[in-house]
Amino acid sequence: MIVLDHLRVAIGGTTVVHDVSLRVGPGERVGLVGASGSGKTLTALATVGLLPEGAVVDGAVAIDGTDLARADDRTWSRVRGSRVAMVFQEPSLALNPLLTVGQQFAIPLRRLEGLDRHEAGTRAVAACASVSLGAEVLDRRPHELSGGQRQRACLAIALLRGPAVLVADEPTTALDPTVQHEVLGLLDDLVQRRGLGLLLVSHDLAVVAARTDRVVVLDQGRVAETSQSASLRAGGATSDAGRRLVEAAMVSDRRIGSLSEGRRA
């Protein structure tokens, strides 16, 4: 379980995240949504200990009851991947272009899990199958894969060590609409099959409200509201920031209810 309690993040002396509190446990689906610059990505990075160098953190970032807000890299390396993992917005930047996909599967398994080459390879093949990728992608470099394949590979790598919570930061922004729908469906399926907690981060309230149980709306680094997703799908935002996001979804002709059918029960 991840619990952010009165999280504050300052960069260069300027506070960019103010007093943010939320929790995500196994099996829970929580959306974190806001306009560009609202602080959602920095909040997400805090949950996995990947804030920029020089960031100053106050408040708590607790994983399984242990506060890691000011933990060192060695401590985070034991937790990141095994208890909480992250999928990033742009898979082309998340993957190393010089290594094959298989090598990028093997590194955490061999260094952090102590597996030998054969064991790591077996786990990599199984991980590919879990996200509907053929084992042949393991011999390819990232540029040889489609955008959807790259994001599926990133998902598989994130889930290699069996985390309890997955943080997905704008995981479909770089994909075309058809592939976006496929990747979101895959996320739904993985969460359901594995009992994962999911923190889905996006500027797109339509996507988030359709695929989560509750939504935290950020505005200028602060929590503007925390609402049940069903209420937001019905247009029941209680904050100005929430209402603006609802209106943006409607203006783009992507009404919040329109994607709800894509979510699995």
Side-chain angles (χ1 to χ4, degrees):
M1 175 182 291
I2 294 176
V3 178
L4 304 185
D5 188 20
H6 300 289
L7 175 70
R8 173 183 174 272
V9 179
I11 296 177
T14 300
T15 300
V16 289
V17 174
H18 307 257
D19 198 33
V20 170
S21 296
L22 61 83
R23 57 175 285 166
V24 185
E28 292 186 311
R29 309 175 193 222
V30 179
L32 184 63
V33 64
S36 178
S38 63
K40 57 188 184 296
T41 292
L42 286 172
T43 300
L45 291 173
T47 67
V48 292
L50 290 175
L51 285 167
E53 185 176 354
V56 177
V57 180
D58 287 323
V61 180
I63 297 180
D64 298 335
T66 301
D67 184 10
L68 299 173
R70 285 158 287 280
D72 58 22
D73 287 341
R74 183 182 296 273
T75 301
W76 269 112
S77 69
R78 292 195 295 267
V79 174
R80 192 186 303 120
S82 63
R83 300 305 302 154
V84 59
M86 188 166 185
V87 177
F88 297 92
Q89 176 176 342
E90 178 48 77
S92 295
L93 299 178
L95 295 169
N96 188 327
L98 301 180
L99 301 178
T100 66
V101 173
Q103 289 171 319
Q104 294 177 71
F105 276 76
I107 288 170
L109 292 174
R110 301 194 68 181
R111 290 184 179 177
L112 300 175
E113 300 268 329
L115 302 187
D116 62 28
R117 186 184 301 273
H118 175 73
E119 292 169 329
T122 299
R123 282 271 293 275
V125 171
C128 284
S130 74
V131 297
S132 301
L133 280 178
E136 68 275 2
V137 304
L138 295 171
D139 295 322
R140 299 175 185 170
R141 287 181 169 76
H143 74 273
E144 297 177 291
L145 306 182
S146 69
Q149 288 176 319
R150 285 192 292 267
Q151 192 59 290
R152 286 171 185 266
C154 287
L155 267 172
I157 291 170
L159 297 173
L160 268 178
R161 300 178 65 209
V165 178
L166 179 66
V167 180
D169 183 18
E170 303 270 14
T172 62
T173 297
L175 307 175
D176 67 54
T178 299
V179 180
Q180 284 183 22
H181 186 73
E182 292 174 356
V183 170
L184 289 168
L186 176 60
L187 271 176
D188 285 342
D189 185 58
L190 288 168
V191 168
Q192 185 175 18
R193 280 192 285 119
R194 298 186 179 214
L196 287 170
L198 174 66
L199 181 62
L200 180 58
V201 183
S202 180
H203 66 281
D204 192 333
L205 186 57
V207 168
V208 169
R211 296 181 179 273
T212 58
D213 302 308
R214 66 181 185 275
V215 176
V216 178
V217 178
L218 290 188
D219 184 37
Q220 297 182 15
R222 302 178 187 275
V223 175
E225 69 173 284
T226 300
S227 298
Q228 295 299 307
S229 299
S231 176
L232 288 173
R233 288 200 298 273
T238 60
S239 67
D240 288 341
R243 284 189 284 271
R244 288 194 297 270
L245 290 170
V246 170
E247 290 168 2
M250 291 181 174
V251 166
S252 65
D253 197 31
R254 298 180 66 194
R255 297 182 182 275
I256 290 173
S258 67
L259 293 183
S260 61
E261 63 187 17
R263 180 179 169 184
R264 296 177 182 266

